[in-house]
Amino acid sequence: MTIINFQTATFLSSAPSLSKCPPDEGIEVAFAGRSNAGKSTALNTLTKNKKLAKTSKTPGRTQLINFFSLTENQRLVDLPGYGYAKVPLEIKKKWDINLSNYLRYRQSLKGLILMMDCRHPLTRYDQQMLDWSSQTDINIHILLTKADKERNNALNATLNHVNQFVMKTQKPLRTVTAQLFSSKTKLGLTQLEEQINFWFQESSQF
């Protein structure tokens, strides 16, 4: 199994919609989540590059589909945050359409990292994201972020609750898994690396 060096990630391009994305070839793993779930921070932690994905104290700053190249045919994708950003309703609707189109029609998308704040998991928007992706055979790995802000008992209870919920969304050709994660303490970083490596390795065999 070829181990990916995530530190090689470099910015490739940004797209406002599916039609403006790079050619739909190769393998992509995308990061999605509520605007304040720590999505861009997790990407930067994975790649050990604090400047790779733009972060901000103001949720909702990621408004485009951002592509980062790992190899010639392997990419990480930072999707627009959802559900929290203080932007006009029409812009939110446009983001929703772009997210839905990407999840449903992007053939090179092989795995989705879905971020949820461990203190507020499975919000209405998180469940909407699971519903969108259930219309495809894309595998999902849920990151319960900001785990450094909760006690172990609460974290374990949350993880069990999420696992029980996602069991209902399983499909024969798709799996949904979950783990705890903290960008601050690096809790769960190795597990995240292994999951993404597995997706890239599995997809390259077809």
Side-chain angles (χ1 to χ4, degrees), residues 133-190:
S133 58
S134 70
Q135 300 175 39
T136 72
D137 291 324
I138 300 301
N139 293 318
I140 297 175
H141 188 65
I142 296 173
L143 280 195
L144 295 169
T145 63
K146 305 183 182 182
D148 55 283
K149 298 182 181 295
E150 285 278 43
R151 297 181 181 274
N152 286 338
N153 287 344
L155 289 173
N156 291 331
T158 299
L159 181 59
N160 288 335
H161 170 66
V162 171
N163 278 327
Q164 289 175 11
F165 179 89
V166 299
M167 283 293 291
K168 303 172 185 177
T169 70
Q170 299 282 17
K171 294 171 59 180
L173 297 178
R174 186 190 77 156
T175 60
V176 182
T177 51
Q179 70 160 100
L180 299 169
F181 184 81
S182 169
S183 290
K184 183 177 181 179
T185 66
K186 308 301 185 292
L187 172 70
L189 178 58
T190 298

Side-chain angles (χ1 to χ4, degrees), residues 44-62:
N44 292 345
T45 300
L46 174 68
T47 59
K48 297 180 174 62
N49 183 349
K50 294 181 179 180
K51 298 182 178 179
L52 184 71
K54 292 182 179 180
T55 61
S56 172
K57 293 182 179 179
T58 304
R61 290 295 299 273
T62 303

